[in-house]
């Protein structure tokens, strides 16, 4: 059937072929023009898709409805599908539609990608923050550990320094003790040498080869020392004695002169006694006590002794003005005159 309807815009019609040229109409690659423009998917308006394919199909349907003959009755027609800008009329309207398509379809796809990127950025930021916090904690722990180590090292050094100071003080004290002991030993050696020399002199006097009084014994009694000079007697008064008077008999003699037991008895006390210096207390068999004071050394400090036995040596210890033997005789706790007591026992003082 012939039709006088004009062809739709964008569709080219060929001249009617001759008889016998009709066949089954099947558009091929040669009979269809290539698509022009870029295929875009637009948002439907009024329920009709705006893609080029849909519009092309719609055009074909419209042509069929207008009374175009079937493929058997019409010659082959080359159909080209217009692009979207051609269908929309081109120009500003087409540009507006394309921009609308970009603003509608593309951002919808980009929103998901942006969300993924945003989520990825958030995860990366959280991981970075976590790593920074871990590094800060590690650095703080290291600083605290270093501070503890420094404090412990300082404490150890302080303790070591204190130990060294104590050791040095102990060494100095030990050195002082050794020096004092050496000094005492030297003094004792000097006293022993003097006593030995005095003993030789005393021995000569005892044999009658020298002058002066000698140690005498009578009936088991002996003078307390030899080569002496009586300087103070019992009962002498003066400020030198705490009791206001002299309570003994002083035998002045060189330091180191031997001191003898006046009779047989027991040494009950020996040691330092304040103003008396070094003192030996000899208790006789009848209970009488003989005090030997201001000694430089003590030979017997305990036990029994016989008359004339050396128990110490003359010295100048305690409250004295020179070397001498202070002899006291005490009976019942009271002092008696040593000179009278010795004379009564046959000793020539």
């Amino acid at each position: 059937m012939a039709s006088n309807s004009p062809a739709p815009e964008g569709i080219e019609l060929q001249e009617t072929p001759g008889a016998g040229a009709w066949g089954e109409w099947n558009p091929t690659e040669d009979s269809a023009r290539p698509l022009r423009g870029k295929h875009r998917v637009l948002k439907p308006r009024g329920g009709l898709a705006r893609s080029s394919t849909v519009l092309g199909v719609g055009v074909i349907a419209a042509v069929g409805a207008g009374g175009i003959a079937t493929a058997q009755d019409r010659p082959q027609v080359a159909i080209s599908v217009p692009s979207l800008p051609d269908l929309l009329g081109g120009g500003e309207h087409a540009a507006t539609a394309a921009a609308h398509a970009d603003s509608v379809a593309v951002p919808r796809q980009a929103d998901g990608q942006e969300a993924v990127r945003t989520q990825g950025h958030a995860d990366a930021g959280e991981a970075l923050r976590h790593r920074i916090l871990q590094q800060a904690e590690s650095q703080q722990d290291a600083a605290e550990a270093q501070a503890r180590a420094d404090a412990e090292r300082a404490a150890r050094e302080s303790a070591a320094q204190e130990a060294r100071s104590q050791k040095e003080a102990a060494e100095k004290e030990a050195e002082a003790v050794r020096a004092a002991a050496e000094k005492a030993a030297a003094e004792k050696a000097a006293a022993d040498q003097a006593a030995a020399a005095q003993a030789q002199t005393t021995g000569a006097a005892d044999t009658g080869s020298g002058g002066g009084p000698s140690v005498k014994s009578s009936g088991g009694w002996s003078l307390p020392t030899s080569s002496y000079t009586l300087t103070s007697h019992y009962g002498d008064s003066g400020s030198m004695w705490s009791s206001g008077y002299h309570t003994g008999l002083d035998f002045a003699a060189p330091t180191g002169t031997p001191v003898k037991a006046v009779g047989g008895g027991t040494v009950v006390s020996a040691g330092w006694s304040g103003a008396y210096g070094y003192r030996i207390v000899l208790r006789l068999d009848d209970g009488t006590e003989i005090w030997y004071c201001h000694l430089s050394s003590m030979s017997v400090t305990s036990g029994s002794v016989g008359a004339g036995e050396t128990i110490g040596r003359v010295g100048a210890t305690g409250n004295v003005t020179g070397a001498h033997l202070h002899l006291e005789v005490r009976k019942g706790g009271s002092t008696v005159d040593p000179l009278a007591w010795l004379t009564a026992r046959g000793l020539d003082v």
Side-chain angles (χ1 to χ4, degrees), residues 262-285:
V262 297
T266 303
V267 175
V268 296
S269 177
W272 183 262
S273 184
Y276 287 108
Y278 287 109
R279 181 190 67 173
I280 293 177
V281 177
L282 173 63
R283 181 177 294 165
L284 303 178
D285 295 338

Side-chain angles (χ1 to χ4, degrees), residues 67-114:
I68 298 178
T70 61
Q72 290 82 2
D73 298 331
R74 294 292 183 182
Q76 295 180 357
V77 179
I79 300 175
S80 62
V81 180
S83 63
L84 181 60
D86 294 338
L87 293 176
L88 295 178
E92 182 178 357
H93 184 67
T96 303
H100 178 72
D102 291 339
S103 64
V104 174
V106 175
R108 288 185 179 180
Q109 181 180 2
D111 288 344
Q113 295 176 353
E114 185 65 23

Side-chain angles (χ1 to χ4, degrees), residues 157-213:
E157 292 177 354
S158 178
Q161 181 63 31
E162 182 66 20
R164 287 194 295 269
S165 300
Q166 293 179 356
K167 182 179 179 181
E168 292 175 357
E171 290 177 351
K172 290 181 180 179
E173 184 177 359
E175 183 64 24
V177 171
R178 284 195 298 270
E182 291 175 356
K183 181 179 180 181
E187 292 177 352
K188 185 177 184 300
D192 291 342
Q193 291 177 357
Q198 184 65 31
Q200 291 177 357
T201 303
T202 301
D206 289 343
T207 59
S209 60

Side-chain angles (χ1 to χ4, degrees), residues 32-150:
R33 290 183 181 179
L35 295 176
R36 290 181 298 173
K38 186 177 179 182
H39 176 69
R40 297 180 183 270
V41 178
L42 300 179
K43 183 177 179 181
R45 294 183 179 178
L48 177 62
R50 293 306 181 102
S51 67
S52 299
T53 302
V54 174
L55 291 176
V57 174
V59 169
I60 294 172
V63 171
I68 298 178
T70 61
Q72 290 82 2
D73 298 331
R74 294 292 183 182
Q76 295 180 357
V77 179
I79 300 175
S80 62
V81 180
S83 63
L84 181 60
D86 294 338
L87 293 176
L88 295 178
E92 182 178 357
H93 184 67
T96 303
H100 178 72
D102 291 339
S103 64
V104 174
V106 175
R108 288 185 179 180
Q109 181 180 2
D111 288 344
Q113 295 176 353
E114 185 65 23
V116 172
R117 287 196 298 271
T118 303
Q119 182 63 32
H121 292 167
D123 294 340
E126 180 63 22
L128 178 60
R129 186 182 70 85
H130 183 66
R131 185 162 60 253
I132 292 173
L133 291 177
Q134 285 183 335
Q135 292 177 353
E137 292 176 357
S138 300
Q139 293 176 357
Q140 183 176 1
D141 294 341
E144 292 177 354
Q146 183 64 33
R148 288 194 297 269
D150 293 342

